[in-house]
Amino acid sequence: MPKVHDKSIYLDYASTTPTDSEILSDANRIMNEYYQNADSLHSGGQRVSELVTQSRNALAKMLGVLPQEVIFTSGASESNSAAIKGIAIANMSKGKHIISSPIEHSSVNGALEWLRDRFGFKIDYVKINSDGTINLESLKELLRKDTILVALIAINNEVGAINNVSEISKIVKKNSTASIHIDGVQALAHHEFSLQQIDSVSFSAHKIHGLKGSGLWIKKAHLECDSLINGGQQQFGLRGGTIDNVSAILWAKTLRLAREKYKANESKIKKLSYKLYTTFETMDGVLVNSSREGSPYIFNISIPSVGSEIMMNGLNRKGISVSAQSTCNSNSLEPSHVLKAMGRSDAESLSTIRISMSYETEEHDIDQAIQEIMEIKEYVNHAL
């Protein structure tokens, strides 16, 4: 097992975040005091049900949706899968055409491939601009009368490209009758967007210093959608099974705290992002894959002379945690599908590293990471 450094530097927040100390404290108390089943009719169960309802109502208000449109899940992967499969199956009599993009999270890609292979759905993928954003003209051209679903990511988790969700919704609603599902994981508390014209959205608590295994699925009331988890009346009949009391009760507080802390540290993060860009944009042998117009929380570069594994291992020995591809694809030996869609070569896609930050990131963390990356690059290049 690799050595754990006493003064380690964590720069993999797009993968997951440490749980906020207040949330941890509250979780322990809830597990001990409010362990009853929220669907039980006794007083303990009804008290838990009230707390879950309070959290759901608070979330609905914060997100601008109805309480009955807030579904608690085990994470964004479940939310993505439940939404895409449920919407497609419920509406397949209207058409079997779905539009997505080649830069989606594996949970979206997996659900789409399942629909294609098991039910014969036709999946078309929009073109991607060189900065990693979705080509809106391509989206418009792909829409058809039988398009029933458009599933796209709000902010790409590898390069931080921010898609214009408002413009996407306008194009889809004006030119089709398709429903829209948005993977909003990297946007929550960072770069939020209006849910007014969106039919379905997925979020995850562990990306904003909440509990792991805690997700949200916002499913608008008008949307026809089949349930994939049967077994009871829970969550408006959309997700059977005993609700996770702790995760559900703490979701609203998790979002409130994250919004406050990210807002308070917004200028600091922009300053750190600026330092990364100014350091690497003009450096020989380095290709910056992220864009200054993208999320300042995610910074992605390729160093073709140094493979991703070599760079990550070198940084790990120095106690610095970064990643390459999405963590869900971390065991893959294939080039990043995101960078390939952006037009990068195999060599460039296999030599990428992602630095991702949160409000906890400090300037000395970035300074140390920059220094170590440059030293590893020089060492490898002189060894060749």
Side-chain angles (χ1 to χ4, degrees):
M1 181 177 292
K3 180 181 177 181
V4 177
H5 292 252
D6 293 334
K7 295 183 179 180
S8 60
I9 296 174
Y10 186 73
L11 296 171
D12 195 22
Y13 289 94
S15 172
T16 194
T17 58
T19 307
D20 185 278
S21 59
E22 283 191 55
I23 299 300
L24 277 176
S25 177
D26 288 346
N28 184 63
R29 183 170 64 87
I30 293 169
M31 280 188 285
N32 281 294
E33 298 179 20
Y34 302 103
Y35 53 83
Q36 297 91 345
N37 191 321
D39 286 295
S40 296
L41 297 180
H42 50 64
S43 58
Q46 291 307 293
R47 176 56 180 158
V48 170
S49 180
E50 289 173 8
L51 292 173
V52 171
T53 297
Q54 288 174 17
S55 180
R56 175 177 274 120
N57 289 343
L59 282 167
K61 185 175 182 179
M62 284 190 280
L63 295 171
V65 298
L66 300 174
Q68 61 266 35
E69 296 174 336
V70 177
I71 310 299
F72 298 107
T73 69
S74 65
S77 288
E78 181 193 332
S79 298
N80 283 331
S81 187
I84 291 169
K85 293 178 182 180
I87 294 169
I89 293 172
N91 293 276
M92 60 193 301
S93 62
K94 303 173 185 176
K96 300 179 74 173
H97 181 239
I98 299 175
I99 297 172
S100 190
S101 87
I103 61 167
E104 299 298 316
H105 187 267
S106 58
S107 60
V108 171
N109 292 332
L112 294 172
E113 291 168 4
W114 184 83
L115 289 168
R116 180 196 65 201
D117 297 341
R118 297 293 183 92
F119 294 93
F121 279 83
K122 167 67 176 175
I123 316 296
D124 277 330
Y125 297 91
V126 299
K127 294 177 182 178
I128 300 301
N129 299 318
S130 60
D131 64 353
T133 57
I134 289 163
N135 186 296
L136 297 178
E137 283 301 313
S138 175
L139 170 61
K140 186 176 179 179
E141 291 170 1
L142 288 175
L143 288 165
R144 310 185 330 201
K145 289 184 178 180
D146 62 339
T147 305
I148 60 168
L149 176 63
V150 174
L152 297 170
I153 198 166
I155 299 180
N156 183 261
N157 54 314
E158 289 193 30
V159 299
I162 302 176
N163 287 308
N164 190 331
V165 174
S166 176
E167 193 61 29
I168 287 170
S169 65
K170 289 178 183 177
I171 291 171
V172 174
K173 296 301 181 183
K174 183 178 179 180
N175 297 280
S176 76
T177 59
S179 298
I180 305 171
H181 172 72
I182 297 293
D183 177 346
V185 169
Q186 297 294 340
L188 190 62
H190 297 69
H191 309 280
E192 295 188 90
F193 52 90
S194 171
L195 306 189
Q196 185 175 357
Q197 296 298 318
I198 309 301
D199 303 296
S200 173
V201 186
S202 60
F203 294 124
S204 181
H206 79 98
K207 305 290 187 177
I208 57 169
H209 299 265
L211 299 173
K212 291 175 176 61
S214 179
L216 277 187
W217 173 23
I218 307 302
K219 188 207 78 71
K220 294 297 183 66
H222 68 267
L223 182 63
E224 292 185 48
C225 186
D226 282 358
S227 171
L228 299 189
I229 301 179
N230 307 113
Q233 63 187 353
Q234 295 91 347
Q235 305 215 62
F236 318 108
L238 281 169
R239 188 179 187 271
T242 303
I243 199 166
D244 180 347
N245 298 351
V246 180
S247 295
I249 292 170
L250 287 175
W251 240 114
K253 184 173 184 177
T254 297
L255 179 54
R256 176 177 60 79
L257 290 175
R259 281 179 167 179
E260 291 171 356
K261 293 181 179 182
Y262 276 103
K263 183 65 176 177
N265 289 275
E266 186 176 13
S267 60
K268 178 183 73 171
I269 294 299
K270 288 181 178 179
K271 178 182 177 182
L272 298 182
S273 178
Y274 178 80
K275 174 172 282 195
L276 287 167
Y277 278 100
T278 54
T279 300
F280 289 109
E281 274 183 332
T282 58
M283 186 178 293
D284 290 339
V286 177
L287 173 66
V288 176
N289 299 311
S290 296
S291 166
R292 286 180 182 264
E293 286 69 46
S295 170
Y297 296 95
I298 298 176
F299 182 76
N300 187 302
I301 59 174
S302 292
I303 307 176
S305 62
V306 185
S308 298
E309 187 174 358
I310 294 173
M311 180 59 75
M312 286 193 297
N313 285 339
L315 291 173
N316 192 46
R317 291 191 186 98
K318 298 293 185 177
I320 301 174
S321 300
V322 299
S323 62
Q325 301 187 43
S326 166
T327 310
C328 292
N329 295 325
S330 60
N331 291 327
S332 174
L333 299 177
E334 296 297 316
S336 163
H337 69 285
V338 173
L339 294 183
K340 291 291 289 180
M342 292 169 58
R344 303 296 191 258
S345 67
D346 283 356
E348 292 164 345
S349 301
L350 287 168
S351 59
T352 178
I353 60 167
R354 178 188 69 183
I355 293 171
S356 51
M357 301 178 284
S358 88
Y359 56 76
E360 294 188 337
T361 308
E362 300 297 341
E363 188 169 8
H364 60 78
D365 298 330
I366 298 302
D367 289 339
Q368 186 66 31
I370 289 172
Q371 178 182 332
E372 297 297 344
I373 289 170
M374 293 171 65
E375 289 183 3
I376 293 168
K377 174 178 176 290
E378 290 304 310
Y379 175 81
V380 172
N381 288 342
H382 280 99
L384 294 176

